Amino acid sequence: MAHRSPNLPSTSAIVTTRLANIKGHMDASNPTVFTSDNVPQAPEDPLFGLMAAYRKDNFEKKVDLGIGAYRDNNAKPWVLPVVKKVVSFQTISGTGAVHLGALFLSKFYPRRTDQSVYFSSPTWANHNQIFSNVHLPIKTYPYFSPQTKGLDFEGMRSTIEQAPEGSIMLLHACAHNPTGVDPTREQWKELSTIIRAKKHFPFFDCAYQGFASGSLENDAWAVRYFVEQGFELCIAQSFAKNFGLYGERAGAFHFVTGAGSDAQSTIARIGSQLAILQRSEISNPPAYGARIASLVLNDSELFAEWEANLRTMSGRIIDMRRALRENLEKLSTPGSWKHITEQIGMFSFTGLTEKQVLKIREDAHVYMTKNGRISMAGLNTGNVGYVAKAVDKVMRETN
């Protein structure tokens, strides 16, 4: 049997010494340079906070109307039949496409220091963060009328017309988020005339193609019209919602240059700079979702089935709009609810105030964003009556 030398420290002594050293390192003052003054705590994302509150809620009849992802009538994500037949992958969704376009414009778009990018008021909250992160100043044009719960077209066109020449105009291609209100084709034509006269740069965000009308062709009409008119423009396109690939982040960024003898060299130069920007941030995009989208888009049978899938999704959303309005009107809920069926796409701007939103969450466990926006896909035949009664109750108690 081996014997420990009397001059060597015991195992327990070694452990005690090491623990003391570790404690000394932990107790030593080694302040971070990233103090709260330099890196303040970021505010909680309202939508993520809403999701967390919903998940923690144990109420049996709780309803999630906050998330803008399609759900079937059983409140479950729907794996589109056309997607199940293929395997592939895509980039960083529409969010990444908006960011890439914003970054490119911040570096290369010739503008005066006081020129801004104009958003609709309201718009998708992430637009503000994305463009602010690349140091582009932000202004807004009127869009939603609280009085009519429809489009404030006069305010929109007037502000765009008065904006400094060459401003960047961010436009929702269809199914406006968060209002569910879109311009008519005649209004789009009038806007294009103004934008051309003022030499503005159109930036289309196309996140919900197929959800507005159920038709890819109809929902792409505004973008295609602007292209036909010869505009130089860019498009951020998401396949996350209309392919049911939300977790795969499938999207694309398109830049369309104006017609001219140098169009080929122009687009080559622009493409070279976009490639560098993309390389510096994500190196190469993921492939799985892009391959799914590519297979479907390039196969006539799969494409036709995808179009049918979109009609299924948009059709159920339209049914839920009709059902919610009918339930509210049967209850004689205070106010007019025709805007529920007049708005289109994934979302509806209900007109509920923040106070009412918080009360309906507390009393009925119905979750929606504080501005009163609801995701129509969160409704189904099993909960639409419950939601209508909850809205009716909060309207009567707060009016």
Side-chain angles (χ1 to χ4, degrees):
M1 177 181 292
H3 296 279
R4 177 182 296 276
S5 168
N7 296 323
L8 293 175
S10 67
T11 301
S12 61
I14 293 173
V15 171
T16 301
T17 301
R18 287 180 177 172
L19 288 173
N21 290 337
I22 292 171
K23 185 176 186 301
H25 289 309
M26 294 174 67
D27 291 341
S29 177
N30 186 26
T32 177
V33 297
F34 296 100
T35 66
S36 59
D37 291 334
N38 295 331
V39 188
Q41 176 68 41
E44 178 183 63
D45 183 285
L47 195 55
F48 288 174
L50 190 69
M51 292 165 59
Y54 177 82
R55 285 194 294 267
K56 291 178 182 177
D57 191 337
N58 295 319
F59 187 68
E60 183 181 357
K61 292 184 177 180
K62 66 180 182 178
V63 182
D64 178 12
L65 300 181
I67 305 304
Y70 183 80
R71 296 290 185 269
D72 64 17
N73 196 50
N74 297 312
K76 301 296 183 183
W78 188 42
V79 180
L80 277 63
V82 66
V83 171
K84 287 195 293 187
K85 297 177 183 178
V86 297
V87 285
S88 343
F89 205 128
Q90 174 79 14
T91 37
I92 317 297
S93 197
T95 303
V98 172
H99 168 71
L100 181 59
L103 184 60
F104 175 83
L105 293 174
S106 72
K107 289 177 69 69
F108 297 107
Y109 185 65
R111 59 187 181 85
R112 298 190 302 274
T113 55
D114 62 338
Q115 265 181 316
S116 303
V117 54
Y118 281 76
F119 301 152
S120 63
S121 177
T123 192
W124 180 47
N126 226 10
H127 283 149
N128 293 280
Q129 299 170 44
I130 291 170
F131 281 85
S132 294
N133 285 348
V134 297
H135 310 293
L136 281 173
I138 294 168
K139 291 184 179 179
T140 62
Y141 52 82
Y143 193 84
F144 183 77
S145 168
Q147 289 73 37
T148 67
K149 296 182 177 63
L151 180 65
D152 179 6
F153 182 68
E154 182 54 38
M156 180 186 186
R157 65 171 298 283
S158 176
T159 301
I160 291 175
E161 192 168 35
Q162 294 171 19
E165 185 175 283
S167 296
I168 300 166
M169 293 292 161
L170 191 134
L171 306 163
H172 295 235
C174 65
H176 184 274
N177 179 8
T179 69
V181 175
D182 287 354
T184 66
R185 291 189 178 185
E186 290 306 310
Q187 289 170 334
W188 275 122
K189 289 179 180 179
E190 187 172 347
L191 290 172
S192 76
T193 300
I194 296 169
I195 290 171
R196 177 181 295 285
K198 293 303 298 278
K199 297 183 173 61
H200 296 326
F201 183 84
F203 189 147
F204 280 98
D205 188 357
C206 186
Y208 292 96
Q209 185 182 1
F211 278 103
S213 66
S215 165
L216 294 167
E217 292 289 327
N218 288 341
D219 290 358
W221 187 87
V223 175
R224 291 179 177 176
Y225 180 79
F226 273 64
V227 172
E228 289 170 0
Q229 299 307 302
F231 278 94
E232 188 165 55
L233 53 81
C234 61
I235 308 151
Q237 186 174 19
S238 172
F239 292 109
K241 292 92 171 178
N242 58 15
F243 265 99
L245 295 170
Y246 201 86
E248 306 300 346
R249 316 311 295 147
F253 174 77
H254 311 286
F255 191 104
V256 181
T257 191
S261 58
D262 60 346
Q264 186 171 345
S265 63
T266 299
I267 207 66
R269 286 186 286 101
I270 291 170
S272 69
Q273 293 294 345
L274 286 169
I276 290 173
L277 295 177
Q278 185 89 315
R279 171 71 172 166
S280 67
E281 293 202 325
I282 64 170
S283 186
N284 289 293
Y288 182 74
R291 288 174 181 159
I292 291 178
S294 179
L295 282 170
V296 174
L297 292 171
N298 290 286
D299 183 290
S300 58
E301 290 187 9
L302 292 177
F303 188 88
E305 187 175 353
W306 178 46
E307 289 183 304
N309 296 161
L310 287 169
R311 288 192 292 272
T312 296
M313 292 191 287
S314 62
R316 197 187 79 78
I317 288 172
I318 291 170
D319 289 344
M320 288 302 99
R321 287 186 179 278
R322 189 180 300 115
L324 179 58
R325 177 180 173 179
E326 288 175 355
N327 274 269
L328 290 168
E329 291 178 344
K330 284 179 183 177
L331 293 166
S332 298
T333 304
S336 171
W337 298 97
K338 64 181 182 179
H339 60 281
I340 298 294
T341 52
E342 289 176 348
Q343 295 169 2
I344 57 177
M346 181 73 75
F347 301 110
S348 177
F349 234 34
T350 61
L352 295 180
T353 65
E354 181 175 337
K355 178 182 176 182
Q356 291 169 329
V357 167
L358 295 177
K359 182 171 175 57
I360 202 173
R361 186 192 307 178
E362 178 69 23
D363 294 352
H365 306 263
V366 174
Y367 291 76
M368 63 187 75
T369 55
K370 289 182 180 180
N371 59 8
R373 186 202 78 170
I374 64 173
S375 171
M376 298 305 301
L379 293 173
N380 55 60
T381 54
N383 66 24
V384 65
Y386 176 79
V387 170
K389 289 177 182 177
V391 172
D392 179 76
K393 180 175 181 289
V394 79
M395 290 298 294
R396 294 182 188 280
E397 293 180 354
T398 57
N399 276 344

